[in-house]
Amino acid sequence: MTAAAPAGSAASAAPSPASRIAVVTGASSGIGAATARQLAAAGYRVVLTARRKDRIEALAEEITAAGGQATAYALDVTDRAAVDEFATAFRKIGVLVNNAGGALGADPVASGDPAQWRQMYETNVIGTLNVTQALLPALTASGDGTVVVVSSTAGHGTYEGGGGYVAAKHAEHVLAETLRLEIVGTPVRVVEIAPGMVRTDEFALTRFGGDAEKAAKVYAGVAEPLTAEDVADTITWTVTRPSHVNIDLLVVRPRAQASNTKVHREL
Ligand code: 8X3
C-alpha cells in the first residue's frame, strides 16, 4: 500500500498543471542554468531566457534529452518591448525566477564609472522590473504563482568597492519587499534569495572585464565557495513549498564567509 503524502510535504507541493511553467532569466550559465536544470527535474516545464541564444538552446536540448521539458527564448531583459512580446506567449505561468544581472567593476565610489553603475541598475533592477511586470498577470492567472528575485548579500550590506553593485542589489531587494506588500491577497508569493560568495564561471570574470587573475582573487584561499547548484537548490526548495508558505528572504553563504567583509581564507 502506498502511504498518502503527508500534508505540507514536498510531494504535496508538486506543481499543478496550471502552474507548471517556470520562466528563468539569465539561464545561459551559472545560477540560472543550474536552476533551470533543477526545476525541470522537479517537474516544471522550464522556459530558458538569456541573450545568448546558442547557450540556452544547448541547455534546452540537454534538459530535454534528460527527460525534462524545456524551451529556449532569446531575450534581453532590459528591452521592454521584447519582454512584452515574450510575455504574450503565456496565459498562465507558475514560476518566474529573476536571475539575470551581475556586477561590473569594483572601484571605490570616488572613482567608479557612472556608466557601469547605470548598466548594473538597468540589468539587475529594471530587468527584474520589466519581466515581473510583464508576467505578473500570467502568474496571477495561474492561481498559484511564485516570483523569485535572486538578489545578493550585496542587497543587505555594503563593502568597499561594491558601491554600484550594492546599490543595485539593494534596489532589487526593495523591489521584492514592496511587491510582496502590494500584491498580498493575490495568489502570488514573492521570494528573495540572497546568495553570498558563489563561484561560477562568469560572475567575477564579468565583473573584472575578463581579467582572470583579478577574478581568481575573489575566491583565493576560500575552501568551498557556494556553487551555482547550491543556490539553485535553495531556489527549488522555496518554490516547491506548499503554496501558502512564502519564504520571504533566504540568505545563503558558504561556511567560510561570515559576512560580506569577513571571509576565512587559507593562503
Ligand atoms: C555576489 C556577492 O559579495 O560578490 O552577489 O557582492 S558579492
Side-chain angles (χ1 to χ4, degrees), residues 116-127 164 167-168 171-172:
Q116 287 189 331
W117 281 56
R118 204 170 283 122
Q119 201 179 330
M120 285 188 281
Y121 199 88
E122 273 291 322
T123 53
N124 291 283
V125 189
I126 305 300
E172 222 181 317

Side-chain angles (χ1 to χ4, degrees), residues 31-249:
I31 293 170
T35 300
R37 288 188 182 98
Q38 290 194 23
L39 288 178
Y44 287 90
R45 177 154 79 79
V46 290
V47 180
L48 317 175
T49 75
R51 283 172 302 181
R52 292 175 295 185
K53 194 162 182 264
D54 53 336
R55 289 244 190 166
I56 50 174
E57 280 179 350
L59 180 56
E61 273 174 34
E62 178 205 304
I63 289 171
T64 306
Q69 289 180 279
T71 50
Y73 190 105
L75 185 66
D76 175 352
V77 294
T78 67
D79 180 344
R80 184 54 190 254
V83 170
D84 285 342
E85 171 67 24
F86 167 68
T88 61
F90 306 100
R91 212 165 48 84
K92 296 180 180 182
I93 69 162
V95 177
L96 164 62
V97 180
N98 285 295
N99 165 72
L104 292 174
D107 298 314
V109 172
S111 57
D113 179 355
Q116 287 189 331
W117 281 56
R118 204 170 283 122
Q119 201 179 330
M120 285 188 281
Y121 199 88
E122 273 291 322
T123 53
N124 291 283
V125 189
I126 305 300
T128 296
L129 179 68
N130 281 341
V131 184
T132 302
Q133 283 185 341
L135 290 177
L136 203 49
L139 286 154
T140 309
S142 77
D144 184 11
T146 304
V147 176
V148 178
V149 174
V150 182
S151 65
S152 168
T153 47
H156 298 269
T158 195
Y159 55 92
E160 291 150 292
Y165 181 61
V166 167
K169 286 298 185 183
H170 272 68
E172 222 181 317
H173 162 64
V174 168
L175 185 159
E177 286 238 297
T178 310
L179 178 65
R180 192 179 303 115
L181 293 174
E182 290 170 347
I183 65 171
V184 69
T186 73
V188 180
R189 52 189 177 173
V190 181
V191 174
E192 178 186 351
I193 307 286
M197 185 185 285
V198 186
R199 180 157 48 199
T200 60
D201 292 342
E202 295 184 332
F203 177 82
L205 207 55
T206 302
R207 180 172 211 165
F208 294 108
D211 186 328
E213 209 174 308
K214 277 190 184 168
K217 278 200 180 130
V218 172
Y219 313 104
V222 180
E224 283 178 291
L226 295 178
T227 64
E229 287 71 26
D230 292 327
V231 181
D233 186 38
T234 67
I235 295 169
T236 304
W237 180 76
T238 60
V239 305
T240 54
R241 292 314 83 208
S243 307
H244 68 288
V245 178
N246 196 128
I247 307 297
D248 285 7
L249 170 64

